[in-house]
């Protein structure tokens, strides 16, 4: 019951009163896999959503976006997605750069919006001017960026600043990860709540 139970009859910002979620499990617990399933559900229910995948390292964020895109690829042997939601599916070679994915249903509207449906970035990278309805801070805290108290403080500050990238109107941020230090961002969130 951690993730939002989506209701496409309501606006995105009215899906839940809880706007910040925290899932802490040990490494290898499939937390990112569950997070990807949640992302796919958001896209199917709200093709115009903007989602930021924010991780400790850019390559990991790009890998996560690649996994999300993989659910929407047109397969030679049709997947369930191809059969039940063909309008959401795209040829692999036409799915865009490795750091982004734009839902074909949204792309067909040709609104000219600068943000793709899903975008990959890392903590501390400049994202000014971009807006999202959902931030997936998945593995944003790592064993290397939490080695010292100073690094923990820097990463925590960057993650609190990232929350300002949420579009106005009460949207969501999901923190998914493993805690590595008593003063890392996850511990800060727990102590504040």
């Amino acid at each position: 019951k951690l993730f939002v139970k989506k209701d496409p009859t309501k606006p995105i910002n009215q899906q839940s009163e809880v706007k910040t979620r925290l899932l802490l499990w040990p490494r290898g617990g499939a937390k990112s896999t569950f997070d990807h399933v949640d992302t796919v559900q958001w896209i199917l229910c709200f093709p115009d959503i903007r989602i930021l995948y924010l991780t400790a390292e850019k390559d990991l964020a790009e890998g996560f976006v690649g996994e999300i895109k993989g659910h929407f690829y047109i397969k030679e042997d049709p997947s369930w997605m191809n059969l039940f939601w063909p309008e959401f599916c795209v040829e692999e070679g036409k799915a865009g750069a490795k750091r982004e994915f734009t839902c074909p249903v949204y792309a067909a509207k040709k609104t000219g919006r600068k943000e793709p449906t899903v975008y990959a970035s890392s903590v501390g990278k400049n994202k000014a001017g971009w807006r999202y309805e959902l931030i997936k801070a998945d593995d944003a805290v790592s064993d290397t960026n939490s080695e010292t108290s100073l690094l923990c403080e820097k990463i925590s500050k960057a993650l609190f600043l990232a929350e300002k990238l949420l579009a106005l109107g009460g949207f969501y941020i999901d923190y998914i990860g493993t805690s590595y230090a008593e003063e890392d961002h996850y511990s800060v969130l727990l102590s504040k709540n």
Side-chain angles (χ1 to χ4, degrees):
K1 295 184 179 184
L2 174 78
F3 294 110
V4 173
K5 184 176 180 181
K6 290 107 187 130
D7 179 352
T9 66
K10 295 180 183 176
I12 296 171
N13 65 340
Q14 293 177 18
Q15 295 297 307
S16 174
E17 291 179 12
V18 177
K19 303 300 180 178
T20 302
R21 290 173 166 72
L22 174 63
L23 173 61
L24 296 178
W25 283 346
R27 295 185 57 79
K31 58 194 172 298
S32 293
T33 301
F34 291 127
D35 193 31
H36 299 339
V37 170
D38 184 61
T39 298
V40 170
Q41 289 177 349
W42 276 109
I43 295 168
L44 290 174
C45 291
F46 304 98
D48 58 338
I49 194 167
R50 298 169 292 181
I51 302 169
L52 172 64
Y53 260 85
L54 192 59
T55 63
E57 299 293 330
K58 181 182 74 155
D59 291 346
L60 180 60
E62 290 173 353
F64 285 166
V65 171
E67 288 182 37
I68 300 302
K69 285 201 279 194
H71 292 285
F72 295 95
Y73 289 156
I74 297 170
K75 314 273 187 188
E76 190 173 313
D77 182 18
S79 67
W80 291 112
M81 186 73 79
N82 298 160
L83 295 172
F84 290 103
W85 295 279
E87 68 277 15
F88 283 84
C89 297
V90 63
E91 292 177 30
E92 186 172 346
K94 297 181 180 177
K98 64 181 176 180
R99 71 179 175 277
E100 61 186 58
F101 172 67
T102 299
C103 172
V105 173
Y106 178 77
K109 294 180 181 182
K110 298 182 180 184
T111 65
R113 178 181 81 190
K114 67 183 175 294
E115 297 94 350
T117 305
V118 185
Y119 187 76
S121 190
S122 60
V123 178
K125 182 130 169 124
N126 184 10
K127 295 165 279 301
W130 293 64
R131 294 288 174 260
Y132 303 92
E133 284 81 27
L134 175 61
I135 296 174
K136 293 288 195 171
D138 194 330
D139 288 332
V141 172
S142 71
D143 53 339
T144 56
N145 73 12
S146 60
E147 288 179 338
T148 67
S149 295
L150 189 60
L151 273 173
C152 288
E153 186 178 326
K154 179 181 175 183
I155 295 303
S156 191
K157 182 179 178 184
L159 287 168
F160 279 127
L161 283 172
E163 291 184 18
K164 296 188 182 308
L165 297 171
L166 290 169
L168 297 175
F171 293 97
Y172 311 96
I173 184 163
D174 294 344
Y175 289 100
I176 313 293
T178 301
S179 187
Y180 290 96
E182 289 184 18
E183 58 269 321
D184 69 18
H185 187 68
Y186 303 139
S187 299
V188 170
L189 284 174
L190 287 171
S191 67
K192 287 187 175 211
N193 294 288

